[in-house]
């Protein structure tokens, strides 16, 4: 099942730099692991913002929630999810 996921990260401005850098390092490693597993086939940066647009290919909404909520930056994210269905005009 495909999902369009928009994520925007909002780290607290007073978060120590070393803590923020640790979260970002762990986030990158986990995101790449999920991509290599084929569950996160598209990841696009939103220019000018600490945000991304992604396509996830997972079994269902429960699996998507499990993956997203395990991301180290999840507590600092605004996440919007849209389930996708094949368009009848798509080739």
């Amino acid at each position: 099942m495909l999902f369009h996921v928009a994520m925007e990260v909002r780290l607290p401005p007073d978060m120590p730099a070393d803590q923020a850098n640790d979260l970002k390092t762990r986030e990158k490693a986990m995101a790449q692991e999920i991509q290599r597993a084929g569950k996160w086939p598209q990841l696009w940066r939103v220019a000018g913002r600490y945000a991304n647009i992604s396509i996830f290919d997972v079994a269902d909404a429960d699996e998507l929630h499990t993956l997203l909520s395990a991301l180290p930056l999840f507590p600092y994210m605004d996440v919007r999810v849209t389930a996708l269905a094949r368009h009848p005009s798509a080739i």
Side-chain angles (χ1 to χ4, degrees):
M1 188 168 188
L2 295 177
F3 291 91
H4 169 275
V5 181
M7 296 178 247
E8 184 147 5
V9 179
R10 293 190 178 99
L11 294 176
D14 60 344
M15 179 180 280
D18 59 337
Q19 182 181 355
N21 290 336
D22 177 63
L23 282 170
K24 292 173 189 179
T25 298
R26 291 188 294 119
E27 180 81 11
K28 182 177 181 177
M30 181 172 263
Q32 290 178 347
E33 178 183 323
I34 297 168
Q35 289 174 73
R36 285 187 191 98
K39 303 287 184 177
W40 196 341
Q42 297 288 317
L43 172 57
W44 297 94
R45 176 180 297 185
V46 177
R49 295 181 15 220
Y50 192 2
N52 73 70
I53 299 294
S54 296
I55 301 295
F56 282 80
D57 187 358
V58 293
D60 53 31
D62 289 328
E63 182 181 14
L64 178 64
H65 180 76
T66 297
L67 289 173
L68 292 175
S69 62
L71 292 169
L73 288 172
F74 182 76
Y76 307 101
M77 287 182 185
D78 175 27
V79 180
R80 291 178 307 274
V81 176
T82 305
L84 300 175
R86 185 144 182 87
H87 194 283
S89 298
I91 56 171

